[in-house]
């Protein structure tokens, strides 16, 4: 059983910093701490390399793909995991060499693959048999990639571009391990849309097919789930991959040069979330791989693909309190709603996964108006911090806040660096918030400006003749 980290490593703004940022950029506001992000990457890399010398850390850009953060990750030596053409374009725009990008996706589009070929991505993680055949077509033809894709699938991918050679390939495997996490972020079990199952022989057939087609298959990959506080599933997944590699060498003569154990290390959203320290986590993954490979002669590069654990704890979201309202509940008690100026559209995770967060008052309103919660001698009280969207979503339920929380107060929600800005939407026609970066020297700047009203409506078309008169 892994030990857990008791240490609270989450970034928090001081009152002074929060007031300065809000004066400059308003709320809601995402804030990312550059030093924290760089340090977490450094710590992960050091832990990975100490546990297994030939290690590589790939930042899963789905966690946060703002260009400045991708540039920082690359600057710190990370490769970048991209799960779509859009994420690949983001990495390229951030200055990441295509050769340091790994393309994922369970239903890659033909045009997306053609784009990846032509960009020269370092590796494609292949998900299914159809994709193997399509890649083979792309790899074999002398035609420009975009032309062959257009012909094979009847897809219009624009003007033919120059043909480039096939990137290295890895196979995404479903190792048949079922992690303890929310069902929507659990991906390693046999019943999954991702990858080739080991248990039903699909993975072995996929290796054989790639070899038969002469494709540049270099390795295997799995990602069993996300926000895993107990790393047993990742350890089992990595072990299953290594055992599979040994079997493929023995049975098919295939040499695994790259073994990618995915991401998934959990973070501290609330004090109850106590993740495994990264040093111990990396040791566990490496040991399970090394012991399964023993005697096989295989010495693959070990890749890890963390997203959340590199960026989540370095981010906070700032909100301003608006309405404070106490209402009767069905059981004869009362509930106090503390409504903030954002919510579902900037952080859908509570609605999607029932995710819990830590919310703190970081600055008190200088000029209170609206309802003031009675103190009753208590210093704190339990409230529901809710958003301002037309949903009965309890954004952050059961939060302890100072009992006199009131309109104009500033709240900071901890640990919002991952899967917040990348999952934000325009629901209720809310503009997505800006993101500020707190620099090493204590200064700050925007890395994503606020969305404008023009941007909100620029895709809209009202066809001629739609409206009478
Ligand atoms: C293939 C793959 N790799 C890496 C990750 C990153 O996971 P996490 O952010 O939990 O580390 C994900 C997340 O969904 C994923 O699907």
């Amino acid at each position: 059983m892994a030990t857990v980290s008791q240490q609270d490593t989450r970034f928090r703004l001081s009152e002074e910093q929060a007031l300065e940022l809000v004066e400059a950029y308003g709320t809601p506001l995402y804030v990312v701490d550059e030093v924290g992000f760089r340090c977490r990457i450094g710590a992960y890399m050091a832990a990975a390399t100490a546990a297994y010398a030939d290690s590589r850390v790939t930042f899963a850009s789905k966690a946060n793909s703002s260009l400045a953060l991708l540039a920082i990750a690359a600057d710190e030596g990370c490769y970048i995991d991209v799960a779509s053409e859009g994420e690949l374009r983001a990495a390229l725009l951030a200055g990441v060499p295509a050769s340091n990008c790994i393309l994922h996706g369970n239903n890659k589009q033909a045009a997306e693959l053609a784009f990846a070929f032509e960009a020269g991505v370092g590796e494609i993680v292949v998900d299914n048999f159809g994709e193997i055949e399509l890649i083979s077509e792309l790899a074999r033809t002398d035609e420009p990639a975009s032309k062959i894709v257009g012909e094979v699938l009847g897809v219009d991918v624009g003007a033919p571009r120059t043909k480039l050679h096939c990137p290295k390939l890895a196979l995404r495997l479903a190792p048949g391990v079922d992690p303890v996490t929310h069902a929507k972020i659990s991906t390693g079990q046999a019943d999954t849309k991702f990858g080739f199952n080991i248990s039903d022989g699909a993975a072995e057939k996929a290796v054989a097919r790639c070899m038969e087609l002469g494709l540049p298959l270099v390795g295997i990959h799995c990602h069993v789930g996300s926000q895993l506080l107990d790393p047993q599933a990742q350890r089992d997944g990595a072990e299953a991959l290594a055992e599979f590699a040994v079997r493929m060498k023995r049975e098919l003569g295939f040499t695994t040069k790259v073994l990618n154990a995915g991401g998934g290390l959990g973070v501290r959203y609330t004090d109850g979330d106590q993740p495994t320290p990264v040093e111990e986590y990396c040791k566990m993954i490496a040991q399970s791989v090394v012991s399964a490979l023993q005697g096989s002669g295989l010495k693959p590069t070990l890749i890890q693909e963390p997203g959340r654990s590199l960026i989540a704890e370095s981010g906070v979201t700032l909100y301003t309190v608006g309405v404070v309202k106490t209402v009767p509940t069905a059981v004869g008690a009362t509930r106090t709603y503390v409504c903030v100026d954002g919510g579902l559209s900037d952080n859908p995770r509570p609605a999607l996964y029932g995710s819990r967060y830590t919310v703190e008052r970081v600055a008190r309103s200088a000029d209170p108006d609206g309802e003031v919660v009675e103190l009753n001698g208590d210093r704190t009280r339990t409230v529901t911090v809710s958003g301002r969207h037309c949903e009965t979503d309890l954004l952050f339920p059961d939060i302890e806040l100072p009992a006199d929380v009131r309109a104009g107060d500033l709240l900071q929600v901890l640990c919002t660096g991952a899967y917040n800005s990348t999952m934000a939407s325009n629901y209720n026609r809310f503009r997505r918030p800006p993101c500020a970066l707190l620099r090493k020297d204590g200064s700050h700047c925007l890395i994503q400006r606020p969305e404008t009203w023009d941007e909100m409506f620029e895709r809209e078309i009202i066809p001629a003749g739609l409206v009478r008169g």
Side-chain angles (χ1 to χ4, degrees), residues 264-389:
L265 178 60
V267 298
R268 191 183 189 95
Y269 284 108
T270 66
D271 288 337
D273 295 332
Q274 296 177 338
T276 308
V278 69
E279 297 76 16
E280 187 174 343
Y281 176 74
C282 288
K283 255 189 229 158
M284 288 170 71
I285 299 290
Q287 275 167 6
S288 64
V289 169
V290 168
S291 81
L293 292 181
Q294 208 152 25
S296 70
L298 292 170
K299 289 195 177 68
T301 300
L302 178 57
I303 302 183
Q304 293 196 57
E305 234 170 31
R308 191 187 310 269
S309 58
L310 295 185
I311 185 66
E313 292 191 4
S314 295
V316 301
T317 304
L318 284 170
Y319 296 110
T320 302
V321 173
V323 173
V324 177
K325 189 188 275 184
T326 301
V327 300
T329 66
V331 292
T334 61
R335 183 196 295 276
T336 297
Y337 286 96
V338 173
C339 300
V340 294
D341 53 352
L344 184 60
S345 61
D346 58 75
N347 185 355
R349 294 190 67 259
L352 270 175
Y353 313 127
S355 308
R356 307 299 298 256
Y357 280 87
T358 301
V359 186
E360 297 174 352
R361 180 166 74 178
V362 62
R364 206 156 179 258
S365 163
D367 181 20
D369 55 6
E371 183 187 339
V372 176
V373 176
E374 293 299 326
L375 275 167
N376 286 338
D378 296 334
R379 291 181 58 240
T380 65
R381 67 182 299 174
T382 308
V383 300
T384 291
V385 176
S386 68
R388 64 188 197 101
H389 297 79

Side-chain angles (χ1 to χ4, degrees), residues 49-232:
T49 313
Y52 189 98
D54 186 9
S55 276
R56 192 195 295 163
V57 175
T58 298
F59 175 54
S61 69
K62 68 206 79 181
N64 195 323
S65 60
S66 39
L67 301 194
L69 299 183
L70 295 181
I72 292 174
D75 185 49
E76 291 294 325
C78 286
Y79 280 55
I80 307 293
D81 146 6
V82 297
S84 67
E85 181 175 331
E87 286 185 358
L88 174 55
R89 284 177 183 271
L92 298 176
L93 279 172
V96 181
S99 55
N100 287 4
C101 295
I102 301 184
L103 178 68
H104 286 273
N106 71 299
N107 183 16
K108 296 180 194 73
Q109 302 297 293
E112 202 169 31
L113 282 170
F115 183 78
F117 263 61
E118 294 180 32
V121 293
E123 189 180 301
I124 296 176
V125 178
V126 183
D127 179 88
N128 55 73
F129 288 106
E131 197 182 320
I132 293 179
E133 300 307 322
L134 179 56
I135 286 175
S136 162
E137 289 285 339
L138 290 171
R140 274 190 292 124
T141 181
D142 290 332
E143 298 284 347
S146 44
K147 183 152 181 273
I148 189 77
V149 169
E151 279 169 13
V152 169
L153 293 185
V155 176
D156 180 9
V157 289
R161 298 159 229 170
T162 328
K163 164 151 170 50
L164 292 172
H165 70 282
C166 184
K168 290 180 187 145
L169 306 178
L171 296 178
R172 171 140 190 181
L173 306 187
V177 299
D178 207 349
V180 182
T181 190
H182 193 282
K184 287 180 188 156
I185 45 177
S186 168
T187 51
Q189 66 280 12
D191 179 3
T192 172
K193 69 175 182 179
F194 295 105
F196 301 94
N197 255 279
I198 295 181
S199 63
D200 68 357
E204 184 175 342
K205 280 191 198 132
V207 173
R209 183 64 181 145
C210 287
M211 292 175 76
E212 188 182 13
L213 291 167
L215 293 175
L217 181 67
V218 294
I220 48 180
H221 165 279
C222 77
H223 169 78
V224 299
S226 206
Q227 182 54 9
L228 303 181
L229 297 170
D230 176 354
Q232 187 61 41

Side-chain angles (χ1 to χ4, degrees), residues 380-450:
T380 65
R381 67 182 299 174
T382 308
V383 300
T384 291
V385 176
S386 68
R388 64 188 197 101
H389 297 79
C390 295
E391 297 282 317
T392 306
D393 58 321
L394 303 180
L395 186 63
F396 307 121
D398 303 329
I399 298 292
E400 285 295 304
L401 282 181
D404 63 344
V405 63
R406 62 196 182 192
D409 286 356
L410 290 180
L411 302 185
Q412 64 176 329
V413 181
L414 306 187
C415 208
T416 60
Y419 304 108
N420 271 229
S421 67
T422 45
M423 287 185 146
S425 74
N426 291 124
Y427 178 55
N428 279 160
R429 293 286 191 187
F430 277 59
R431 288 174 296 176
R432 283 170 294 180
C435 180
L437 184 70
L438 209 56
R439 303 298 315 274
K440 281 191 265 189
D441 61 2
S443 65
H444 51 79
C445 58
L446 281 184
I447 56 170
Q448 280 175 333
R449 60 162 177 73

Side-chain angles (χ1 to χ4, degrees), residues 22-41:
V22 169
E23 190 178 331
Y25 312 119
T27 56
L29 177 68
Y30 300 121
V31 184
V32 172
D33 171 39
E34 180 181 351
V35 173
F37 183 38
R38 287 188 186 272
C39 287
R40 269 170 242 279
I41 295 174

